[in-house]
C-alpha cells in the first residue's frame, strides 16, 4: 500500500476550513493508502510564540482528528516534535536545498512583501516540510492548493539528494483535492486564522449559531432573487452537505422569497447534524488528557520505527555513520 502523509499546523483552534479543506478529504484517503497524519507543531512555531497556546492547539488538533473519525489503530497520528528524526533530516536536506529556490517560495516572499520581520524558520519552512515527507518515504501528499509549491520544493530537494547518493529518497506526488475549492470565511475571504474570520469546529450550539448569523451577506431584500454562488453562507453550506443536497437551497435563493437568515439557519442546522456527535467525542478526548497523550506517544513510536531504516541509510550515505 502506498503511503499518504499530511500535516496541519496547530496555529489556532481547529476551524471549519481545516475540516472541509483538509481533514475530511485526508480521512477519506484511509481506505486507499497507509495514512500518516501529523500535527506540525514545529511549523507553527514560525508564527506562534506562546508555549501554552501551542501546546493547547496541538492537543485540540489531535482531539479533532480523533473525534472526526481517525482510526489510530490503522492510521498513524503523531506530533512532529515527538519525532526527532524530522529536524535531523531537515538539516541534512538543507545542505541540498538551493537558496534561490527558497527565495522564490510564496510564503517567504509574502512575508517580505508585507515588510514583516522574517525569521530563518520562516525561510527554511519548506525544508522542514520536505523532511516531514521524506523521512517516511511518503508517495502521496494530499494538500490544499496553497501548499503545492512546498511539495514541488520537496521533490526538487529529494531529486538533488538522489542525484548524489542514488535513489534513497522517495519523490512524492502532491494530490490537490480538485473539488475542494477555497473555503470562505465569515467575511468571504479564505477562511484563515490570520484573517480572524474562522468558524471554530466544536463550538457549543449557542455560540455556533451566533457566529453563523454573523456571516457576511449583502442587503438584497428577502423577496429578491439572489446569487447563491456569491454568498459565503451558501458556499459553506454546499461544501458541508455536497452539491446535490445543496441544490434545493440554491434554487430557493435564486427564485427569491428566501432570505439570508433562512440560509444561515440551514447552515447552522447542517453543522449541528454533521458535527454534533463529533463534538461530543472531541469533548471526551479533551477531558482525558492522558488518553490523548497515550495515542500521540504510540503514534510517535510507530512513526519513529517507520523512519528508522531510511534515516539509517541516509546517515550512512552522507558519511555520518
Ligand atoms: N505547511 C502545511 C500547511 O501549512 C502543513 C504541513 C507541514 C504539511 N508539513 C507538511 C502538509 C507535510 C503536508 C505534508 O498547511
Amino acid at each position: 500500500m502506498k503511503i499518504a502523509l499530511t500535516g496541519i499546523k496547530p496555529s489556532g483552534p481547529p476551524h471549519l476550513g481545516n475540516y472541509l479543506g483538509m481533514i475530511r478529504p485526508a480521512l477519506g484517503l484511509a481506505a486507499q493508502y497507509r495514512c500518516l497524519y501529523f500535527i506540525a507543531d514545529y511549523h507553527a512555531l514560525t508564527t506562534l510564540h506562546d508555549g501554552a497556546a501551542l501546546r493547547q492547539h496541538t492537543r485540540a488538533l489531535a482531539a479533532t482528528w480523533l473525534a472526526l473519525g481517525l482510526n489510530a489503530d490503522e492510521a498513524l497520528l503523531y506530533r512532529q516534535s515527538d519525532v526527532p528524526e524530522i529536524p535531523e533530516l531537515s538539516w541534512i536536506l538543507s545542505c541540498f536545498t538551493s537558496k534561490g529556490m527558497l527565495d522564490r517560495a510564496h510564503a517567504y516572499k509574502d512575508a517580505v512583501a508585507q515588510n514583516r520581520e522574517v525569521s530563518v524558520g520562516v525561510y527554511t519552512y519548506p525544508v522542514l516540510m520536505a523532511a516531514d515527507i521524506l523521512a517516511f518515504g511518503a508517495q502521496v501528499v494530499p494538500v490544499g492548493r496553497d501548499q503545492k509549491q512546498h511539495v514541488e520544493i520537496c521533490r526538487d530537494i529529494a531529486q538533488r539528494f538522489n542525484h548524489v547518493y542514488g535513489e534513497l529518497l522517495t519523490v512524492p506526488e502532491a494530490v490537490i483535492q480538485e473539488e475542494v475549492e477555497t473555503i470562505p470565511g465569515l467575511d468571504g475571504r479564505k477562511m484563515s486564522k490570520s484573517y480572524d474570520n474562522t468558524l471554530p469546529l466544536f463550538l457549543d450550539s449557542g455560540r455556533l449559531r451566533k457566529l453563523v448569523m454573523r456571516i457576511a451577506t449583502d442587503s438584497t431584500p428577502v423577496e429578491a432573487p439572489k446569487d447563491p454562488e456569491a454568498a459565503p453562507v451558501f458556499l459553506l453550506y454546499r461544501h458541508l452537505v455536497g452539491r446535490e443536497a445543496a441544490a434545493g437551497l440554491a434554487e430557493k435563493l435564486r427564485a427569491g422569497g428566501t432570505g439570508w437568515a433562512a440560509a444561515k439557519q440551514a447552515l447552522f442546522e447542517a453543522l449541528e447534524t454533521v458535527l454534533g456527535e463529533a463534538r461530543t467525542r472531541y469533548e471526551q478526548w479533551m477531558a482525558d488528557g492522558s488518553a490523548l497523550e497515550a495515542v500521540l506517544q504510540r503514534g510517535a513510536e510507530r512513526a519513529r520505527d517507520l523512519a528508522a531504516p531510511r534515516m539509517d541509510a541516509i546517515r550512512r550515505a552522507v558519511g555520518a555513520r
Side-chain angles (χ1 to χ4, degrees), residues 5-7 9 38 40 43 125 129 132-133 141 143 147 150:
L5 171 145
T6 197
K9 263 187 307 188
F38 73 99
H43 274 116
Y125 183 111
M129 182 158 159
D132 290 332
I133 298 167
V141 184
V143 283
Q147 296 296 314
H150 286 153

Side-chain angles (χ1 to χ4, degrees), residues 27 30 34-39 61-79 281 285 291-303:
L27 288 172
R34 167 135 201 239
C35 286
L36 276 61
Y37 304 110
F38 73 99
I39 299 160
L61 192 51
T64 297
W65 278 109
L66 293 164
L68 291 171
L70 185 150
N71 175 351
D73 292 324
E74 286 176 10
L76 266 66
L77 174 67
Y78 54 95
R79 172 166 48 203
R281 288 193 295 267
W285 280 111
L292 191 63
E293 192 56 33
V295 171
L296 289 174
Q297 288 310 316
R298 193 161 58 95
E301 255 170 56
R302 291 165 69 202

Side-chain angles (χ1 to χ4, degrees), residues 256-274:
T258 295
W260 294 124
K264 289 177 178 178
Q265 181 63 26
L267 173 61
F268 168 69
E269 284 168 18
L271 285 165
E272 286 287 303
T273 307
V274 174

